[in-house]
């Protein structure tokens, strides 16, 4: 599981950078930057742990999250103009990050004997709701409610993990395959600009 | 109590539709619609359970809430143009819903031996704060902070329930009377466009 | 500790007034005013208690907070035009308030054997996040993310408290000195309009 822990920390780092960049675009000060990096990086897991009553919550139980976030903020302050061009590298970290966040959140839910559907939701919450809290605090409509296939990738990957677990696939193999599914859906949807449908008029009206 | 459970589910359905309609007006995608329907329908009870440390929280402890919300979202997608004209029907469901949410939340607080004033607040939180979370996520100033007699109906109904309980009124009778009080206050205030006072200048200044 | 309790209540009163004034500027109705006063005054401690799983949470465990907030709202309604000129008095209460909120929150964290860095964060959360919740609910970008040295004063004061505790300074003396540090940093930064740095371009770019 050491590899997964490293990826978890790298994902946290990428999320924190993304939060710090949003904060700097909004002209937040150092404190605002730290808070936005913080909620982006660990807000999803924190919300999950509060919902399922798992204490100590993520960043209180493992201080490495705090240190990772502070490091990310320092890097953003020092190297901002060098970071911006690294967009593709960060997309990679971010995407691998959400796959690991999803599956770790799902496993945590299962380990607490939550129903399968709740465990899948908890995987998605872990990966996605840090960004939602970031957007609420910076007064944006949460991005993932409007534009991107993001949460759906997490939900699909979680579902596949559960199905493969049910039919007895080896846990490590299962983890890797499910992570690849999430990463693939996310990457393909960004490349081809895929979006979820919206409600405009109802289906019957449109067909008339 | 079966009747109350049915009303609870119908209220959840009405709240979820209202959340889905707000999301569709904001051009949220399917995921955004589900999340907004979800927080509108069960956000109040979820906040209550977190505040009073009652686990598993509402929608984790009873999966019927999730199924009800998903059904409501599907209905909104399929029949949006048919739903809009049903405004009065939904107002009815919604209003009966908040009366039941209030009294169930209040009873939950009492069953945990919380002080009366906290139990009344918990009833109001159950009925009202799903809408507040909906408004925050869709970047609106929470409606109930500005325009409507809504929370006040819940607080009044909760107070009356407690008073009647104190003087020994039968619990079922009490529940029905208190629910009717909430429904009546809410309906009358909408028909006559009643509003709570605002602070503009202070009373003494105005009288001078 | 009686003196500290009195200051805690006075701080709660000052925070509630500040929330009520923001709400009245936004033309919230009575209910909105009460909610905004409420979250401003006890939202930080409430968030802290949820994060560290300390139940009953602050305002449920001690009803005096609710009574203090309701009194503050009534005063705001009755005497608004008399309160506005008292700005300096309220700044005093508010500043003494955050110093006490910080140190009480920190002590609570320590009493639950949380790591030092988490306890310091909890002190800051207690003092600062009521205002953040207030700003989110009234659809403002949280003030403390942009303009003021506020949270930094709390973090510094918390750090000094911990250091002095480590070297064995008497607890009451420690409390008073740390509170004075917070009050001084806050006051000086307001008088001289000090601000934290922002990320604009990175340091190396700027130096070239």
């Amino acid at each position: 599981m050491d590899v997964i822990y490293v990826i978890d920390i790298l994902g946290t780092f990428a999320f924190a950078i993304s939060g710090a960049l949003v904060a700097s675009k909004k002209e937040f000060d150092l404190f605002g930057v730290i808070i936005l990096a913080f909620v982006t990086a660990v807000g999803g897991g924190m919300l999950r742990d509060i919902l399922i009553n798992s204490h100590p919550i993520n960043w209180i139980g493992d201080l490495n999250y705090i240190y990772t976030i502070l490091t990310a903020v320092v890097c953003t302050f020092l190297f901002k103009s060098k970071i911006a061009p690294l967009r593709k590298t960060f997309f990679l970290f971010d995407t691998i990050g959400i796959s690991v966040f999803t599956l770790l959140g799902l496993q945590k839910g299962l380990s607490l004997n939550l129903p399968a559907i709740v465990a899948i939701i908890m995987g998605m919450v872990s990966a996605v709701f840090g960004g939602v809290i970031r957007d609420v605090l910076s007064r944006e409509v949460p991005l993932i409610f409007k534009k991107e296939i993001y949460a759906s990738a997490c939900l699909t990957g979680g579902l596949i993990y559960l199905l493969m677990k049910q039919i007895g696939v080896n846990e490590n193999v299962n983890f890797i395959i499910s992570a690849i599914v999430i990463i693939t859906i996310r990457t393909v949807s960004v490349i081809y600009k895929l979006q979820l449908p919206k409600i405009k008029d109802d289906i019957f009206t449109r067909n008339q």
Side-chain angles (χ1 to χ4, degrees), chain A residues 28-35 73 77:
Chain A
F28 285 12
D29 66 16
L30 175 57
F31 177 74
V33 171
I34 293 176
I35 295 293
V73 169
F77 258 83

Side-chain angles (χ1 to χ4, degrees), chain A residues 2 8 17 20 28 63 73 85 108-109 111 114 118 153 163 173 197 205:
Chain A
D2 279 3
D8 188 18
I17 295 268
F28 285 12
L63 297 183
V73 169
K108 192 162 195 178
S111 75
L114 295 175
V118 174
L163 290 175
V173 175
T205 317

Side-chain angles (χ1 to χ4, degrees), chain A residues 13 17 69-81 83:
Chain A
F13 187 82
I17 295 268
I69 293 164
L70 292 178
T71 308
V73 169
V74 170
C75 290
T76 313
F77 258 83
L78 291 180
F79 308 117
K80 194 194 157 191
S81 68
I83 284 175

Side-chain angles (χ1 to χ4, degrees), chain A residues 11-201:
Chain A
T12 302
F13 187 82
F15 273 46
I17 295 268
S18 114
L21 289 176
V22 170
S24 85
K25 217 182 280 176
K26 296 258 166 186
E27 309 222 325
F28 285 12
D29 66 16
L30 175 57
F31 177 74
V33 171
I34 293 176
I35 295 293
L36 223 62
F38 190 92
V39 299
T40 308
V42 295
M46 175 164 67
L47 180 59
R48 173 200 66 215
D49 288 343
I50 291 170
L51 292 178
I52 64 179
N53 200 27
S54 162
H55 291 275
I57 61 172
N58 55 351
W59 60 270
I60 294 181
D62 179 357
L63 297 183
N64 286 336
Y65 291 116
I66 297 182
Y67 303 140
T68 304
I69 293 164
L70 292 178
T71 308
V73 169
V74 170
C75 290
T76 313
F77 258 83
L78 291 180
F79 308 117
K80 194 194 157 191
S81 68
K82 266 105 194 156
I83 284 175
L86 296 177
R87 234 162 21 98
K88 281 192 187 166
T89 311
F90 278 101
F91 178 79
L92 188 74
F93 282 178
D94 182 276
T95 302
I96 298 175
I98 62 161
S99 73
V100 171
F101 288 3
T102 300
L103 297 172
L104 290 177
L106 171 61
Q107 287 181 334
K108 192 162 195 178
L110 292 176
S111 75
L112 293 172
N113 293 317
L114 295 175
I117 189 172
V118 174
I120 290 180
I121 293 175
M122 287 308 151
M124 181 273 288
V125 166
S126 314
V128 162
F129 268 73
V132 172
I133 301 174
R134 174 199 65 207
D135 293 341
V136 166
L137 286 183
S138 55
R139 240 190 61 181
E140 297 292 327
V141 169
L143 188 66
I144 59 155
F145 293 174
K146 298 199 91 168
K147 273 199 201 139
E148 297 194 14
I149 295 205
Y150 195 103
S152 322
C154 303
L155 291 169
T156 310
L159 189 61
I160 282 169
Y161 180 90
L162 267 189
L163 290 175
M164 291 204 295
K165 189 185 162 83
Q166 205 67 32
I167 61 175
V169 175
N170 169 281
E171 195 168 311
N172 287 333
V173 175
N174 191 351
F175 198 103
I176 293 168
I177 295 179
S178 304
I180 290 174
V181 168
I182 297 174
I183 293 168
T184 308
I185 297 178
R186 172 82 178 125
T187 309
V188 168
S189 75
V190 165
I191 293 175
Y192 292 100
K193 299 190 180 164
L194 301 180
Q195 296 195 2
L196 288 181
K198 296 181 179 181
I199 305 178
K200 279 189 182 157
D201 289 301

